[in-house]
Amino acid sequence: MTTEDSSQNQVAAAVAEAVTWYLDANPVTATVMGSDDPDHTMTFGDPSIEGYERRAAEAAARLAALDALAGAESDFEDGIDRDLIRATLRRIGIMAERQEWRRDPSGYVSSALYGFYLPFQQRTRPEELLVEESLAKLKLVPEVLAACRDNLDPGLAPRLLVERALGQARTGRAFLTSALPAMVRDETSRSRLAEAAEPAAAAFDELAAFLAGFAERCEGDWRLGEQTYSRLLQDVEMLGYDTAELHRRGLAAWEGLNTELRELAARIPGGSADWRATMAVLCEDIPPTEEAMLAEYIAETERARQFTRQADLVTFAAGEECRVQPGPEFLRAVLSVASYNRPPALTPSRVGVFNVPYTPTGSSPDAVLGRLKTNARVSMPTIAVHEAYPGHHWHLSWLAEQGRLVRSMFTTPYFIEGWALYIETAMREQGYFADPRHELGHLDARIFRAARIVVDTALHTGEMSIEEAEAFMATKASLTPETAKGEVNRYCAWPTQAPSYLTGCLEIEAIRAEYLKRGKGTLKQFHDTIAGAGGLPLGLARRVALR
């Protein structure tokens, strides 16, 4: 064996070891990725402070081992895998410095909900096995939620994040005792699950009561700060600029799109150069109910799929299917826009789910009306493209088809969301938004993402208050006040995620221009290559596309 062969083997072995460690350290993530290992499917992991600190130390050790191999000779694809995992571990390290387990209850709450919901939604294993796994985990829920109460530090925990998690915790009882059993087809198993859920439901009630009082004592700051924000952009997303530059790019993008929207809106019958006023009128054309909204999204998703196939923009994964259904109840209080659940990476499944953004059960008529306006018919085509074809669903089902587990497991929103926004533009170029009203809806979605860049960077560097951010989103994009409020709340909780859409889109557009200029392939080949390579940090995506 040559020295080069030995070095390549070292890189491949280190990558494989890091993947195994990650799955074992994150059993809920492993479960929703489709693992059938009982060490993953029947536990939530160690929720204690010591458990979180141990995992952070292990991640740092893994990163050090991979950093030591950064200059080693390797197969090109193995080298991309190595650098992808290094970026992931750097993110884990940066967030561990902030001790998120002391700050934010949502990690505990989400794991105790998603860990039940997604396996039943995906159904990659027999129902009887899913029921047994759920029965085992129900016994552990009180321990997880007790650790949440014990671990939170009122000096670090921000009230905003605690109240956000409180909204989710209050859905726990109904989810575990009603919604989860309803997902079970066998009547006997359904009854067993409903009966066993009571102690876990009581633990959610107890946590909700605790968080309501705890929020009053919280003094922590939810802002990420410019230094940490820039580290995530540069060290994790591999962008060549910092927070201040990203903010400037957001402002410039907003100005350019504002001009384009003014020109387009003026050409629409009944419209004017005041594109927000034009959008406001068009947003009055809505489905009459949330159920009707779901039906129209189903139809629009199929239209996008057929257009994508006829335009020959991409290659489809064998057996892919995108199911369009209402978003889960426990997410409705914290997520006011459409979302997508990908096929589980550790399984052969190519089935994903487009979650239509229903309001929480019991919402006021005004709240429902606001949600319907945010999903008005003018915007449905671009949303269906983004979430389904050839956006998230096409991308993640095609990625799974490539058979490179590391790439399916570790992704970044700057590519995932950047791709989905980029492909909206590619569909516009192909004539999908033939109705100028739908084209306006597409550009409105794009300027909305530019506004997100401005607001997210300003919020987390202390340049903008929550109230100013809500006003900006309601006046610089065509959001209702209710939706703007929900959006800004999300930005406070998920720093750096909101700018990922347009930032990633612009980077992918730049890579495409260079790819085509060099004559490296067709547009379809570009799409298949860069999207099939993963949801990579953009520096790595450029390396793959232009190799």
Side-chain angles (χ1 to χ4, degrees), residues 26-41:
N26 300 277
V28 174
T29 301
T31 298
V32 301
M33 285 184 175
S35 172
D36 58 2
D37 186 336
D39 289 340
H40 300 154
T41 61

Side-chain angles (χ1 to χ4, degrees), residues 245-539:
E245 175 60 20
L246 179 59
H247 183 79
R248 287 191 289 271
R249 291 184 180 210
L251 287 170
W254 189 91
E255 291 292 346
L257 287 162
N258 185 49
T259 298
E260 190 174 2
L261 277 158
R262 286 170 57 87
E263 294 171 353
L264 176 59
R267 299 199 303 269
I268 291 176
S272 71
D274 185 345
W275 64 266
R276 282 182 293 277
T278 304
M279 276 297 296
V281 172
L282 293 174
C283 285
E284 295 296 326
D285 181 18
I286 59 175
T289 64
E290 289 179 314
E291 292 74 20
M293 174 176 68
L294 173 64
E296 293 189 31
Y297 266 127
I298 292 171
E300 191 61 49
T301 297
E302 180 58 25
R303 185 173 82 90
R305 185 178 189 277
Q306 293 303 324
F307 184 96
T308 300
R309 186 177 292 281
Q310 291 163 8
D312 200 27
L313 279 177
V314 298
T315 302
F316 283 77
E320 63 79 21
E321 178 188 353
C322 185
R323 296 173 182 165
V324 185
Q325 61 190 46
E329 179 69 39
F330 67 84
L331 274 185
R332 297 178 192 178
V334 297
L335 197 58
S336 58
V337 295
S339 63
Y340 174 74
N341 293 334
R342 59 186 293 173
L346 298 174
T347 75
S349 174
R350 301 292 179 265
V351 178
V353 176
F354 170 3
N355 295 302
V356 175
Y358 276 38
T359 52
T361 299
S363 292
S364 69
D366 285 345
V368 173
L369 180 62
R371 190 65 52 88
L372 292 172
K373 287 185 176 181
T374 305
N375 293 270
R377 293 184 174 110
V378 65
S379 299
M380 281 186 166
T382 202
I383 292 172
V385 166
H386 185 101
E387 301 297 341
Y389 298 102
H392 290 321
H393 174 70
W394 173 80
H395 173 206
L396 292 166
S397 60
W398 174 243
L399 170 58
E401 187 81 350
Q402 307 316 303
R404 202 160 188 101
L405 176 61
V406 177
R407 308 287 180 83
S408 289
M409 281 179 54
F410 301 110
T411 60
T412 166
Y414 278 71
F415 191 95
I416 296 290
E417 299 296 353
W419 168 265
L421 187 57
Y422 156 76
I423 207 66
E424 291 180 42
T425 304
M427 290 283 274
R428 180 193 184 193
E429 293 167 348
Q430 297 295 318
Y432 184 69
F433 305 115
D435 186 327
R437 295 171 299 178
H438 294 162
E439 188 176 13
L440 189 73
H442 159 67
L443 288 178
D444 174 67
R446 195 172 172 97
I447 202 170
F448 165 42
R449 275 41 178 260
R452 277 177 162 177
I453 296 177
V454 176
V455 164
D456 198 72
T457 51
L459 278 169
H460 284 283
T461 56
E463 298 297 321
M464 188 179 282
S465 69
I466 289 177
E467 294 74 21
E468 289 170 334
E470 290 172 357
F472 190 97
M473 295 305 296
T475 58
K476 301 298 185 181
S478 59
L479 301 185
T480 64
E482 180 264 343
T483 301
K485 185 179 180 67
E487 280 289 307
V488 171
N489 184 269
R490 170 187 173 188
Y491 309 157
C492 296
W494 295 357
T496 78
Q497 194 273 347
S500 64
Y501 299 74
L502 186 57
T503 305
C505 170
L506 294 173
E507 294 290 334
I508 293 170
E509 287 175 358
I511 297 170
R512 182 183 80 167
E514 193 168 348
Y515 179 96
L516 296 177
K517 181 179 179 180
R518 291 189 190 183
K520 296 187 70 67
T522 65
L523 181 62
K524 179 180 181 180
Q525 288 169 330
F526 171 73
H527 292 159
D528 287 354
T529 298
I530 196 168
L536 298 171
L538 291 156

Side-chain angles (χ1 to χ4, degrees), residues 27-160:
V28 174
T29 301
T31 298
V32 301
M33 285 184 175
S35 172
D36 58 2
D37 186 336
D39 289 340
H40 300 154
T41 61
M42 292 192 171
T43 181
F44 294 104
D46 183 355
S48 68
I49 290 289
E50 294 75 19
Y52 280 103
E53 291 176 342
R54 182 182 66 255
R55 289 188 290 273
E58 291 170 351
R62 293 287 172 189
L63 177 59
L66 289 166
D67 283 347
L69 295 172
E73 291 290 336
S74 66
D75 171 79
F76 178 83
E77 297 294 348
D78 286 343
I80 295 294
D81 291 347
R82 172 200 60 206
D83 293 345
L84 170 60
I85 296 177
R86 290 170 69 206
T88 301
L89 293 173
R90 283 196 291 267
R91 170 178 279 279
I92 291 172
I94 290 169
M95 302 313 289
E97 291 173 13
R98 290 175 54 80
Q99 301 182 71
E100 291 298 303
W101 53 87
R102 296 182 187 269
R103 291 175 175 269
D104 189 354
S106 67
Y108 304 89
V109 174
S110 293
S111 66
L113 294 172
Y114 264 121
F116 292 103
Y117 173 75
L118 283 178
F120 277 101
Q121 183 200 69
Q122 296 161 345
R123 292 190 178 273
T124 58
R125 301 191 300 284
E127 179 175 279
E128 55 269 26
L129 180 58
L130 297 178
V131 170
E132 293 305 317
E133 291 169 351
S134 295
L135 290 169
K137 286 189 292 188
L138 281 169
K139 296 177 182 178
L140 302 176
V141 168
E143 176 189 351
V144 172
L145 301 187
C148 176
R149 299 195 302 273
D150 293 342
N151 295 353
L152 290 174
D153 181 342
L156 292 176
R159 179 169 181 163
L160 181 148

